[in-house]
Structure formats: structure tokens, C-alpha cells
Amino acid sequence: MDITGIRKDFPELEQKVHNHKLIYFDNAATSLKPFPVIEAIEEYYSKYNSNVHRAGHKISSLATIAYENARKKVAKFINAESNDEIIFTRGTTESINFLTDILQDSILNNGDEVVLTVMEHHSNIVPWVELRNTLGIDLKIIDINDKGELDIDDFGKWFSEKTKVLSITHSSNVLGTINPLKKIIKEAKKRGVVTIVDGAQGIVHSKVDVQDIDCDFYCFSGHKIYGAMGIGVLYGKRALLEVLPPYQQGGGMIEKVSFDNVVYSSVPYKFEAGTPNVGGAIALRTAIDYIESTGLEQIIEYEKELLDYATQKLLDIEHLTIYGTAVNKDPIISFGIAGIHHYDLSTLLDGFGIAMRSGHHCAQPLMNRLEIDGTSRISFSFYNTFEEIDYFTDKIKIVKKMLI
Ligand code: PLP
């Protein structure tokens, strides 16, 4: 890949931070945006900003076509069987809240069990804890081994005849572990369990094929795959979407309304009440175009090389521990250095222009499991370079000398 050329597409990389060239290693939180995505948003708002579906005029039909083309693009990107299986949301968090909301009105009852894993992001924990408190469901939490891989040799331990839902992350935003989704979902399906995948990280670094994974639902956010903030996706199998109740009520999701009765629209429109984020959907389509024209396979391969290189360099630093050493890993490295608080490290590295993250990464139960209060985390994208990793590890050594 022509990394120098690719970097020119990302205007944020041009700037200096504290008089140093920006090194952006916080990609798991959100990715930078390439020019085509920024231009797609500008073009929509300056040329054909209009509400979709409900008007007969020219610019509304342009907006509607672009919005529906975005749906088609997403469907093809994740190999959904039909465009109607793609629902636009605000992001992963809303997609999961959407599901906990509609499943409590349909599938889940008091005493039912929901299986999660200890490596979930808060967005796939908090809504379920709320449901435990309000509906009386039980939560079963799959544990990890020392490498940060799921303990799934004995499914009988985690699933019972009361299990109704499995909600699992595709990959961990802390450990980087890529979970063996197909294997787990196959076991869940054997037991008639509804399966939900939090793909917030997984969508960024894998070729997702929802039919092959065979999950019932797959959730992700546009902003982590070079799209805008405020747009996300909930993929759902059509057969389930047909029978589930809507998430929100209002305009755009109805066939007929009277004060006595409401007839809902068909899937997916019954799940998209109100004015959608049209500009966000169009930008997401452009982001996917950008990924495809760069080459997803090449991206994945290059990011893996960055991961391996950085892992080796970090392991050479004394007193440094890496959390998450799974065989299958996304390009995310969480680590700690004995004697240095992770906040001090990220603050001092910021002074050298390095943007990285420290803290619990919205995964406090995982921090408890690891018996730590937080980590430093770097996460790569295909615009990062080996030279940036060298610079980063050199600066860590300087900070170590300052603090220890
Ligand atoms: N799930 C995982 C694994 C994540 O890493 C994140 C964000 O970092 C989320 C869910 C929430 O995504 P969003 O804030 O875009 O809704």
C-alpha cells in the first residue's frame, strides 16, 4: 500500500500537536476521516440536503436515492441477504439499546438468562444490567484465560435451558482479542439462543460476512470505519425483524395512523422513526468506498504487521506488561509499566504529539477481572507507520527515565 499517499487523504495528520507531528494511536476510540468522506458530507449539505422518503420534489428524491444507496452499500459490505436487513442507528450503543429495548417487549421474561463475556464494552453491559434490575433476567458472564481468550471449551458452563440471548463482542477494545464468533454462535444456535454481535471494533479490522457468522444481529458505528459520528448500523435477520416490535414510534415508520389504530411500515422502515441521519449514511457509504478502493485485505495485513512490530518493540521495554496476548488479535495493544501511572504516561506522551488513550476504556468489569484500574492503549490504522512506532517507543523510554 502507498502509505505516504494514503496519509495525504487524512487532513488531521498534517497538523502539529505541541509542536510535534501528530501521531494518532487512538483509532479504537475513533478513526480519522479521509477527504472523500469530508467532501461527501459537505456536498450533501450544500447541494441536496433534504428530508427523505416523504416529498415529491427533486432534491428530496436525490437525498432518498443516496440514502437508500448507502443502505445497499452497507448490506453488500457485510454480505446481508437483503438491503432491508440494514437499519440505520446513531451507532453501536444505540443499536444495542435498541435490541435490549425491543427484546424485553418480546423474547425476554423474568428468570431468563443472557450470556455476555467479561471483555464487553460498557455499551454491551449497562443495558443488560438495567434489564436484570427491571425485568429480573440473569446474566452469565463468560470468563477469559491468561492470554485474554474466551473460556469456551465447555459451553454447558455458560448456557442452560433458560438462556435466551448471547450478546458478545466481535473483538475486545482493550485486549484486541478476536473472538471465534462462528464457533460460539453455532453452539448458541443449537440451543435456540438469539445471538447479538457488538462489531464496533470487529468491523474495522475484519471482512465481516453476517451470513457466514450466522448471527441474528450485528451492530457497528460509522465513526470507527472512517465515517462520521452519529451514524451506525443494526443488521438483523429479516425473519426476526419481521416479528419484533418497533423501537421508537413517530413519523416515517407507519403505513396508517388514526387515533384508534396504527399500522406500521414494513422492515426496515418500521425501525427508523423520525428524520434519519441522511448525511451520515451517505458519508458512511463513501467511507466504505474508500476502504474498498484501498483494499480491505491489504489494510488488515498491514495493520497486523504494525501490531506485530509494536508488540516486539514494547516487549523489549523493561517492566512493561501487555494485557491481551491472544493468537488472533486486532491491532490494539493495552499495556502497563510498573511504577508509572497510565494517566501520567499518556499526558507526557501527548507532549510529544502522541495521541493515545489511558483508563478503563469503558470496560470496568474487565479491569476488575485483570485486577488493574486501567491501562495505556495504542490502536493502529492503516495510515500509521513503523516510524511512528519507533518514535513512540523511544519517547516511552524518555518518560521512563523521567519518572522512575
Ligand atoms: N463496543 C465496543 C467494543 C467499542 O469499542 C465501542 C466504542 O469504543 C462501543 C461498543 C461503543 O461504540 P459507540 O460509542 O460508537 O456507540
Side-chain angles (χ1 to χ4, degrees):
M1 284 198 304
D2 170 19
I3 304 300
T4 313
I6 285 171
R7 286 176 67 87
K8 292 198 180 117
D9 287 340
F10 291 83
E12 266 180 280
L13 288 173
E14 293 296 314
Q15 69 190 297
K16 293 209 160 176
V17 172
H18 303 305
N19 285 324
H20 295 279
K21 228 170 107 180
L22 169 67
I23 305 239
Y24 189 75
F25 280 174
D26 196 16
N27 294 286
T30 196
S31 64
L32 303 180
K33 316 305 169 203
F35 274 122
V37 168
I38 298 165
E39 285 158 7
I41 295 168
E42 193 189 346
E43 193 188 16
Y44 169 69
Y45 281 110
S46 55
K47 294 202 178 134
Y48 60 108
N49 163 57
S50 179
N51 216 326
V52 286
H53 298 141
R54 289 185 285 278
H57 57 79
K58 172 81 179 165
I59 56 168
S60 174
S61 72
L62 288 178
T64 303
I65 290 166
Y67 183 67
E68 291 305 327
N69 279 341
R71 197 189 307 279
K72 267 188 218 158
K73 185 86 210 184
V74 172
K76 198 151 178 258
F77 187 56
I78 61 171
N79 196 30
E81 204 180 330
S82 137
N83 303 332
D84 297 344
E85 294 179 319
I86 304 302
I87 298 160
F88 285 118
T89 63
R90 283 196 298 126
T92 309
T93 302
E94 187 174 57
S95 297
I96 296 172
N97 276 273
F98 179 125
L99 289 172
T100 53
D101 201 79
I102 63 174
L103 292 179
Q104 73 174 314
D105 292 335
S106 51
I107 285 173
L108 287 168
N109 291 300
N110 183 288
D112 288 341
E113 287 174 4
V114 170
V115 176
L116 308 174
T117 82
V118 75
M119 67 171 77
E120 298 309 314
H121 185 279
H122 291 166
S123 57
N124 195 28
I125 297 175
V126 181
W128 298 110
V129 171
E130 279 303 313
L131 267 198
R132 188 189 58 202
N133 297 342
T134 54
L135 192 65
I137 58 164
D138 286 324
L139 302 180
K140 287 270 146 56
I141 313 299
I142 303 180
D143 199 10
I144 47 171
N145 63 20
D146 290 346
K147 289 184 177 164
E149 295 161 331
L150 290 180
D151 170 14
I152 47 162
D153 288 341
D154 175 12
F155 282 96
K157 249 191 335 199
W158 312 112
F159 290 86
S160 78
E161 69 285 356
K162 289 191 197 157
T163 311
K164 288 282 178 62
V165 175
L166 164 75
S167 192
I168 182 174
T169 193
H170 188 158
S171 64
S172 163
N173 65 314
V174 177
L175 307 166
T177 312
I178 302 172
N179 289 321
L181 286 183
K182 278 179 74 170
K183 182 175 174 186
I184 302 172
I185 284 169
K186 196 169 162 206
E187 289 296 329
K189 295 250 135 180
K190 274 190 211 160
R191 295 160 168 86
V193 170
V194 171
T195 53
I196 300 170
V197 179
D198 169 353
Q201 298 297 335
I203 192 80
V204 193
H205 310 288
S206 338
K207 174 76 198 103
V208 171
D209 179 335
V210 286
Q211 292 189 69
D212 186 47
I213 295 170
D214 201 22
C215 53
D216 294 313
F217 299 102
Y218 192 96
C219 314
F220 66 92
S221 307
H223 71 95
K224 293 196 200 270
I225 52 164
Y226 319 102
M229 292 188 178
I231 187 78
V233 169
L234 170 61
Y235 155 83
K237 276 199 174 142
R238 192 184 184 118
L240 266 168
L241 293 178
E242 295 283 2
V243 295
L244 286 168
Y247 167 51
Q248 291 183 327
Q249 280 76 17
M253 50 81 74
I254 50 83
E255 280 302 333
K256 248 185 178 175
V257 177
S258 73
F259 285 110
D260 300 319
N261 194 32
V262 175
V263 179
Y264 298 129
S265 271
S266 54
V267 170
Y269 305 107
K270 80 167 175 185
F271 294 111
E272 290 184 357
T275 298
N277 183 352
V278 180
I282 292 167
L284 178 56
R285 179 196 167 172
T286 311
I288 295 172
D289 281 339
Y290 187 85
I291 293 167
E292 288 178 341
S293 66
T294 307
L296 184 54
E297 266 175 37
Q298 286 90 322
I299 289 174
I300 295 168
E301 207 172 297
Y302 178 67
E303 289 173 344
K304 173 89 176 94
E305 285 169 23
L306 291 175
L307 171 70
D308 291 344
Y309 184 72
T311 303
Q312 269 323 312
K313 291 218 68 165
L314 287 173
L315 285 175
D316 285 344
I317 297 175
E318 237 191 319
H319 307 305
L320 188 146
T321 307
I322 292 182
Y323 299 100
T325 53
V327 179
N328 281 324
K329 254 189 93 160
D330 274 344
I332 294 174
I333 307 177
S334 277
F335 63 94
I337 302 176
I340 301 182
H341 195 276
H342 45 85
Y343 283 125
D344 293 338
L345 185 66
S346 62
T347 307
L348 288 168
L349 289 178
D350 176 56
F352 292 112
I354 297 166
M356 63 180 280
R357 192 148 282 247
S358 66
H360 55 64
H361 315 296
C362 295
Q364 285 181 6
L366 178 61
M367 296 299 127
N368 293 339
R369 169 66 180 80
L370 298 171
E371 297 179 347
I372 51 178
D373 70 342
T375 75
S376 298
R377 183 186 75 184
I378 51 173
S379 47
F380 302 124
S381 182
F382 57 94
Y383 37 70
N384 291 129
T385 65
F386 297 100
E387 292 73 31
E388 288 179 325
I389 294 169
D390 290 341
Y391 177 85
F392 168 71
T393 46
D394 286 349
K395 297 303 175 240
I396 289 190
K397 288 175 193 159
I398 292 174
V399 170
K400 269 190 79 184
K401 280 201 185 116
M402 285 161 69
L403 295 181
I404 306 184

